[in-house]
Amino acid sequence: MAPGDIMELSARNVLKGTVESVTEGMVDAEVVVKLPGGETIVSVITKGSAERLGLKKGKEVHAVIKASNVIIATE
Amino acid sequence: MAPGDIMELSARNVLKGTVESVTEGMVDAEVVVKLPGGETIVSVITKGSAERLGLKKGKEVHAVIKASNVIIATE
Amino acid sequence: MAPGDIMELSARNVLKGTVESVTEGMVDAEVVVKLPGGETIVSVITKGSAERLGLKKGKEVHAVIKASNVIIATE
Amino acid sequence: MAPGDIMELSARNVLKGTVESVTEGMVDAEVVVKLPGGETIVSVITKGSAERLGLKKGKEVHAVIKASNVIIATE
Amino acid sequence: MAPGDIMELSARNVLKGTVESVTEGMVDAEVVVKLPGGETIVSVITKGSAERLGLKKGKEVHAVIKASNVIIATE
Amino acid sequence: MAPGDIMELSARNVLKGTVESVTEGMVDAEVVVKLPGGETIVSVITKGSAERLGLKKGKEVHAVIKASNVIIATE
């Protein structure tokens, strides 16, 4: 998919933030994204994707989450 | 699982918010959660869970998301 | 997220196709996408997303799948 | 999230068991949980979570699975 | 995929049980599976799949769960 | 589960292809599957499953994807 191809996603949750850290394993990479309010979102993607997207501390990204993957917990 | 049984979850993302709306279908329910910063998180759970948890507008909840379910997008 | 904001996704699987059908429930919608080779991909998203994206028969779309959601089966 | 914060989860499947083994990679950890009936459940979580929860052989845990992540197979 | 095509799955968790109930919505169906030890597993699949597999009370099935979809919780 | 046990899966997406490569980490393995039309599907499974299934370049496999894990994107 060439850059610019995608305009909109069905995924209901798209949170804008800044990459705080990237930790690479042999297959996967853990990416920590800081939201404007100070909370962090942790994502595990493939190392290949982390490199293709050029993820590194300070880069602006979106964390995308499908609604069916969100569990609700009550206190 | 009785109330109070769980202390901690492996899921890396736990976002506290307030239920904004609950829309029930025959099997599933869509739950919209408002975060303190004003953003919303949308979750689809079973109708049975929405009723068991007593979800309704104003209730305080957590949105729980496993790191492997978070996609990263760049602009 | 405004249209045009996203350039690239970490998701490793992005398959281009054409919407064959959309079946709406009260919360979810089932979307069948036909790939160029004739195979079909079935997706379940929220009804809200199906309407927001204007999905209908003939519309060109991409089916996006995170690598961690692909199971391998052998014969 | 502080210990004790969560009382109930929307996730429909919560299976109690005992950690049988933990295998750590650089990003992920594989956790094998033995159920009372002798069956095992395998989970992959981040290494960070395995360490934060103090997972080790013999520890009592729950395996939590959202209903939308369960596939049905017939013989 | 024709019956009999699949011999093995990469999914690490395959639990044998008996269908206890099937509740159909317009898009999805909730399937409750009783395990031999008395516990139940709840699955949400498409209504189309529930009908194609001929799911009904008493039918023997397997609940299949990918390891990356299992969260660990501690007390 | 013994070979031959499974006849049919509720998962709506089963794509036949050939293993192009297997990259093993300490916990996970990345498997690239080439479809007949030339597209590739990338899967991340546990290293244990990759070895149990005997995955290697040239082996015929199916990529299995639950409909609720497919996001739709529009251009």
Side-chain angles (χ1 to χ4, degrees):
Chain A
M1 179 178 48
D5 265 10
I6 288 191
M7 275 174 55
E8 280 198 81
L9 293 167
S10 64
R12 296 288 292 272
N13 302 295
V14 182
L15 301 168
K16 193 170 188 169
T18 307
V19 174
E20 185 72 13
S21 67
V22 180
T23 306
E24 290 193 355
M26 295 177 74
V27 167
D28 290 318
E30 177 179 305
V31 182
V32 179
V33 177
K34 193 164 208 166
L35 303 184
E39 285 167 312
T40 52
I41 296 283
V42 181
S43 164
V44 172
I45 60 178
T46 61
K47 184 173 78 163
S49 288
E51 293 175 349
R52 175 169 49 85
L53 297 183
L55 300 185
K56 58 179 180 184
K57 187 171 162 63
K59 189 176 177 77
E60 292 203 349
V61 296
H62 300 274
V64 177
I65 303 149
K66 200 171 186 304
S68 55
N69 285 324
V70 180
I71 293 172
I72 300 293
T74 55
E75 295 190 6
Chain B
M1 181 176 49
D5 266 10
I6 288 191
M7 274 174 56
E8 280 198 82
L9 293 167
S10 64
R12 296 289 291 272
N13 302 295
V14 182
L15 301 168
K16 193 169 188 169
T18 306
V19 173
E20 185 73 13
S21 67
V22 179
T23 307
E24 291 194 355
M26 294 176 73
V27 167
D28 290 319
E30 178 179 305
V31 183
V32 179
V33 178
K34 193 164 209 166
L35 303 184
E39 285 167 311
T40 52
I41 295 284
V42 181
S43 164
V44 173
I45 61 177
T46 60
K47 184 173 77 165
S49 289
E51 293 176 349
R52 175 171 47 87
L53 297 183
L55 300 185
K56 58 181 180 182
K57 187 171 162 63
K59 190 176 175 75
E60 291 203 349
V61 296
H62 300 272
V64 177
I65 304 149
K66 201 172 185 303
S68 56
N69 285 325
V70 180
I71 293 172
I72 300 294
T74 55
E75 295 192 4
Chain C
M1 181 177 47
D5 266 10
I6 288 191
M7 274 174 56
E8 280 198 81
L9 292 167
S10 64
R12 296 289 291 272
N13 302 294
V14 182
L15 301 168
K16 194 171 187 168
T18 307
V19 173
E20 185 71 14
S21 67
V22 179
T23 306
E24 290 192 357
M26 293 176 73
V27 168
D28 291 317
E30 177 179 304
V31 182
V32 179
V33 177
K34 194 165 209 165
L35 303 183
E39 285 166 312
T40 53
I41 296 283
V42 181
S43 164
V44 173
I45 60 177
T46 61
K47 183 172 78 163
S49 288
E51 294 176 348
R52 176 170 47 88
L53 297 182
L55 299 185
K56 58 180 181 184
K57 188 172 162 62
K59 188 174 177 77
E60 292 203 349
V61 296
H62 301 272
V64 177
I65 304 148
K66 200 171 186 304
S68 56
N69 285 324
V70 180
I71 292 172
I72 300 294
T74 56
E75 295 191 6
Chain D
M1 180 176 49
D5 266 11
I6 288 191
M7 276 173 54
E8 280 197 82
L9 292 168
S10 64
R12 296 288 291 270
N13 302 294
V14 182
L15 301 168
K16 193 170 188 169
T18 307
V19 173
E20 186 72 12
S21 67
V22 180
T23 306
E24 290 193 357
M26 294 175 73
V27 168
D28 290 318
E30 177 179 306
V31 182
V32 179
V33 177
K34 193 164 209 166
L35 304 184
E39 285 166 313
T40 52
I41 296 284
V42 181
S43 164
V44 173
I45 59 178
T46 60
K47 184 173 78 164
S49 289
E51 294 176 349
R52 176 170 47 86
L53 297 183
L55 300 185
K56 58 180 180 183
K57 187 172 161 63
K59 189 175 176 75
E60 292 202 349
V61 296
H62 300 272
V64 177
I65 304 148
K66 201 172 185 301
S68 56
N69 285 325
V70 180
I71 292 173
I72 300 293
T74 56
E75 295 192 4
Chain E
M1 179 176 50
D5 265 10
I6 288 191
M7 275 174 54
E8 280 197 82
L9 292 168
S10 64
R12 295 290 291 272
N13 302 295
V14 182
L15 301 169
K16 193 170 187 169
T18 306
V19 174
E20 185 72 13
S21 67
V22 179
T23 306
E24 290 192 356
M26 294 177 74
V27 168
D28 290 319
E30 178 179 304
V31 183
V32 179
V33 177
K34 193 164 208 166
L35 303 184
E39 284 166 314
T40 52
I41 296 283
V42 181
S43 164
V44 173
I45 60 177
T46 61
K47 183 173 77 164
S49 289
E51 294 176 349
R52 176 170 47 86
L53 298 182
L55 299 186
K56 58 180 181 183
K57 187 172 161 62
K59 189 176 176 76
E60 291 202 350
V61 296
H62 300 273
V64 177
I65 304 148
K66 200 172 186 304
S68 56
N69 285 324
V70 180
I71 293 172
I72 300 293
T74 56
E75 294 191 7
Chain F
M1 180 177 49
D5 266 11
I6 288 190
M7 275 174 56
E8 281 197 82
L9 292 168
S10 64
R12 295 289 291 273
N13 302 294
V14 182
L15 301 168
K16 194 170 187 169
T18 306
V19 174
E20 185 72 12
S21 67
V22 179
T23 306
E24 290 192 357
M26 293 177 74
V27 168
D28 290 318
E30 178 180 305
V31 182
V32 179
V33 177
K34 194 166 209 166
L35 303 184
E39 285 167 313
T40 53
I41 296 283
V42 181
S43 164
V44 173
I45 60 178
T46 61
K47 184 172 78 164
S49 289
E51 293 176 349
R52 177 170 48 86
L53 297 182
L55 299 185
K56 57 180 181 184
K57 188 172 160 63
K59 189 174 177 76
E60 291 202 350
V61 296
H62 299 273
V64 176
I65 303 148
K66 201 170 185 305
S68 56
N69 285 324
V70 180
I71 292 172
I72 300 293
T74 56
E75 295 191 4

